[in-house]
Amino acid sequence: MPQAVVFDLDYTLAVPRRTRATILEEATAATGAPSLTRDAYLEAHRRNLTSETREPIFADLLEGAESDADPAAVATAYRETISDSLEPLPGVEAMLADLRGEYRVGLLTNGPVRAQRDKLETLGWEDAFDAALVTGELEAGKPDPRAFEAITDELGVDPADAVYVGDEVEADIRGATEAGMRAIQVVLEDGSEPDSRAVAHVEQAEIAATLPDIIADLE
């Protein structure tokens, strides 16, 4: 039986009320930056998983662009716009509290320190986990095994005794399983495919209702 359950944050436990593409468009427009695509942002984000803020991400994106936009200002506008839009998925706060009665509960989220810590503060989740790590604080981000080892060390459990719950196939499912953890995939409504490496799959909208029973059934 698992001793610990570790969660991803974005799109696993909390979602913005507007699309990330819309939020990005609003942030760039507000700061005079050129239009940026969501795909380009995600690529730059993957190259900057261990930073303090999103400034290096936007510096990367704006490099060579004919723009006087300040990457730090764009990063701040993007962070604040996300915070204004962020909300927990239905029932997850009660689910986390209930799970902590049975397991050690952790959070491991990719991203800059200030951005991800700000999300936890916005949600009021600073004390919702037994341990919460942001990859900006670590040597490496997901899917690097060192990120997963860091959270299991914080929780005081062996990776084989921990379950990781996340939505991204590469960062979460591949990363967790290669680190020796079992993984449960959160399947989004965007048509993402269930990955065979996951020991179970749960629909995003049903995570609070179905995940506890799935975890309890794991041997």
Side-chain angles (χ1 to χ4, degrees), residues 67-84:
S67 172
D68 294 327
D70 179 7
V74 184
T76 298
Y78 187 62
R79 173 174 54 82
E80 292 176 349
T81 307
I82 288 176
S83 292
D84 289 342

Side-chain angles (χ1 to χ4, degrees), residues 34-90:
S35 179
L36 301 169
T37 68
R38 175 68 175 159
D39 286 344
Y41 174 84
L42 290 174
E43 286 297 321
H45 186 276
R46 294 185 188 104
R47 293 192 293 270
N48 295 277
L49 292 176
T50 57
S51 57
E52 178 69 24
T53 72
R54 288 192 180 92
E55 182 177 352
I57 296 173
F58 285 103
D60 191 340
L61 287 166
L62 295 173
E63 184 177 3
E66 296 182 2
S67 172
D68 294 327
D70 179 7
V74 184
T76 298
Y78 187 62
R79 173 174 54 82
E80 292 176 349
T81 307
I82 288 176
S83 292
D84 289 342
S85 179
L86 197 64
E87 62 184 8
L89 284 164

